[in-house]
Amino acid sequence: MGKVHARVEGRLREFVDRQVVFFVATAPLSGEGHVNLSPRGIPGTFGMLDELTFAWLDGTGSGSETIAHLRENGRITVMFCAFDGAPNIVRFHGRGRVVTRYEEEYAELASRFTDLPGARAVVVVDIERVSDSCGFAVPLMSYVGERELLGPYFERKGIDGSADYRRTKNLTSLDGLPGYDFDPALE
């Protein structure tokens, strides 16, 4: 059934490259805080950088739980599920870091992905454990297409409006941890 792998290569890499959605889970160090589980999946905004490094272009969102948790402790799990074809679940356990749009490394990392209006960071995951399991209980579902809402929303806001949005909605996590606080107007 389940198997641990040394790296993401071969059939695992092919599986990850075909996916249209993935999930990320993070949590604060405090046992009292909220566990965060978020879906991701805008085409062209995520992928493997090498056999043990995964990354995604992180769009501005209504919260900043993943960013806050990664900044606090770095722990992250990334999960892919087969919703069509052969059943499979792949998990990456590792350490994540946030490279904001205002950091020098951002331009090079972001250039690997499709442009995303409102992008606030690239999240880089150094994979410490790769595993897959059967996925027999995951339902079969059909992929219909993308929701064309996020890009146009942040295109209308523009760079300044996107920064304003982050300043009002992304400063802290649900548990009060520092979230996205890298917009220049905050310094």
Side-chain angles (χ1 to χ4, degrees):
M1 294 281 256
K3 183 176 179 183
V4 175
H5 303 269
R7 62 191 50 81
V8 183
E9 61 185 356
R11 72 171 181 80
L12 287 180
R13 176 70 180 257
E14 291 169 10
F15 175 75
V16 168
D17 288 346
R18 283 194 315 270
Q19 299 312 299
V20 296
V21 66
F22 64 100
F23 303 87
V24 299
T26 58
L29 288 176
S30 164
E32 303 301 315
H34 292 83
V35 173
N36 183 57
L37 177 61
S38 295
R40 310 279 183 191
I42 297 173
T45 63
F46 63 92
M48 300 299 302
L49 301 184
D50 62 40
E51 294 174 332
L52 288 173
T53 312
F54 178 76
W56 75 88
L57 187 61
D58 190 54
T60 298
S62 58
S64 58
E65 301 309 297
T66 301
I67 289 173
H69 295 160
L70 291 179
R71 290 181 68 208
E72 184 202 34
N73 62 61
R75 298 177 307 157
I76 189 166
T77 300
V78 177
M79 183 180 76
F80 302 89
C81 296
F83 294 109
D84 62 3
N88 196 17
I89 298 171
V90 173
R91 289 182 184 87
F92 303 154
H93 298 266
R95 310 294 292 176
R97 63 187 175 91
V98 179
V99 179
T100 72
R101 64 179 299 108
Y102 304 108
E103 295 178 63
E104 192 172 311
E105 186 182 8
Y106 177 84
E108 188 276 322
L109 287 167
S111 72
R112 297 171 177 249
F113 304 109
T114 300
D115 184 44
L116 178 63
R120 62 185 173 189
V122 174
V123 176
V124 180
V125 178
D126 295 318
I127 302 168
E128 298 171 345
R129 183 179 192 272
V130 180
S131 64
D132 70 339
S133 56
C134 67
F136 290 173
V138 175
L140 287 170
M141 295 190 283
S142 298
Y143 173 70
V144 177
E146 296 300 314
R147 296 180 193 270
E148 301 294 333
L149 300 169
L150 189 66
Y153 179 80
F154 283 105
E155 280 177 355
R156 288 190 303 275
K157 285 196 166 298
I159 292 171
D160 290 340
S162 296
D164 288 341
Y165 184 96
R166 287 188 292 273
R167 282 191 288 277
T168 59
K169 304 239 184 219
N170 294 169
L171 288 179
T172 59
S173 73
L174 293 172
D175 302 315
L177 295 173
Y180 190 95
D181 61 359
F182 294 103
D183 283 303
L186 295 173
E187 299 183 12

